[in-house]
Amino acid sequence: DLIAFKNIPMADEIGLVTRASTLRIPGIQNVYNPSMIKTSSGYSIAFRYDLPWDRVSFKKARIGLIHVDGRFISKGDFHFLNTRDDQVEDPKLFLHDNTCYVSYTHLSFWGRDYLCNIGLSSINLNEQSVTHSWELLYKNGPKEKNWTPLSYRNEEGISELYFVYEYNPLKVIRMKQPFTGAIEHPFPKTQSTLLAE
């Protein structure tokens, strides 16, 4: 049913949405901000789920992971990824150099004036577990959110991991290798005439 997806600027005009499916995850409700990657047997979907937390009036967020088939029917139970013990939100699943990663927002201080940074974890999709995590060492202010990961194989055949940090003006940053969490700035800011219109 595509009725809920009507009135999306530009998407309706170019036919961007072709099909909508409802995913039911047994044992959990009200998940949001998902991302997914295609696998050999369907898709893996990461999502945000808020747990009630009794020490303060704040909902503690976790990242869940579930596998679904090509018709978006769940294959087994979901699992929470143990990315860290703190608040983690808004996962972005992606493949880089034949490894699955998830980037996410990591809140280091909760409350009205919360602080957050971007975290990155490599994950084992079969075991639905984290194998390694990094705090990305770049801050341009107290709240770092919504970096978009971009995996790229350069002219020498080496895989490089970039993040779109800002869209307008466009600012792209790169993870140093081997991964330590350190970030470098490979490109100057570029003004986008498309986004400025």
Side-chain angles (χ1 to χ4, degrees):
D1 184 7
L2 295 180
I3 295 174
F5 291 93
K6 287 297 179 187
N7 301 318
I8 302 173
M10 293 179 57
D12 292 331
E13 297 170 16
I14 62 176
L16 183 64
V17 179
T18 59
R19 191 182 97 183
S21 299
T22 300
L23 172 61
R24 309 226 184 272
I25 302 175
I28 197 169
Q29 294 180 0
N30 302 322
V31 304
Y32 59 109
N33 291 356
S35 67
M36 70 179 182
I37 59 171
K38 187 157 180 49
T39 65
S40 59
S41 59
Y43 301 91
S44 289
I45 300 175
F47 54 86
R48 174 179 172 176
Y49 178 70
D50 291 342
L51 295 166
W53 197 31
D54 57 9
R55 286 198 289 164
V56 295
S57 58
F58 197 87
K59 291 190 177 296
K60 197 169 185 181
R62 284 283 175 260
I63 294 174
L65 183 70
I66 192 165
H67 302 304
V68 298
D69 64 17
R71 296 176 297 147
F72 291 92
I73 297 173
S74 60
K75 299 166 53 180
D77 296 328
F78 78 92
H79 293 271
F80 287 125
L81 291 176
N82 295 322
T83 51
R84 55 182 72 244
D85 293 329
D86 295 330
Q87 174 101 350
V88 287
E89 304 175 349
D90 308 337
K92 292 177 174 60
L93 278 178
F94 63 97
L95 293 174
H96 173 69
D97 208 18
N98 298 317
T99 300
C100 184
Y101 292 89
V102 60
S103 64
Y104 46 87
T105 300
H106 168 222
L107 274 71
S108 55
F109 173 77
W110 309 318
R112 182 175 297 172
D113 298 320
Y114 68 92
L115 303 174
C116 58
N117 200 24
I118 301 296
L120 176 70
S121 295
S122 57
I123 60 176
N124 182 318
L125 284 178
N126 292 329
E127 296 179 7
Q128 293 177 300
S129 62
V130 169
T131 56
H132 198 80
S133 294
W134 303 266
E135 191 82 6
L136 302 192
L137 306 176
Y138 179 78
K139 286 189 83 67
N140 199 27
K143 296 176 176 66
E144 294 293 345
K145 300 184 76 173
N146 300 321
W147 298 8
T148 303
L150 176 65
S151 180
Y152 172 72
R153 188 173 300 276
N154 67 21
E155 294 79 12
E156 290 80 32
I158 299 171
S159 293
E160 298 176 327
L161 178 56
Y162 294 85
F163 290 91
V164 177
Y165 180 79
E166 292 177 346
Y167 287 95
N168 196 23
L170 182 64
K171 180 178 180 181
V172 178
I173 58 180
R174 177 171 57 197
M175 283 276 287
K176 288 187 177 178
Q177 296 184 357
F179 290 172
T180 62
I183 298 289
E184 59 186 355
H185 305 262
F187 305 112
K189 287 186 177 183
T190 304
Q191 189 74 26
S192 170
T193 56
L194 177 64
L195 293 176
E197 293 177 354

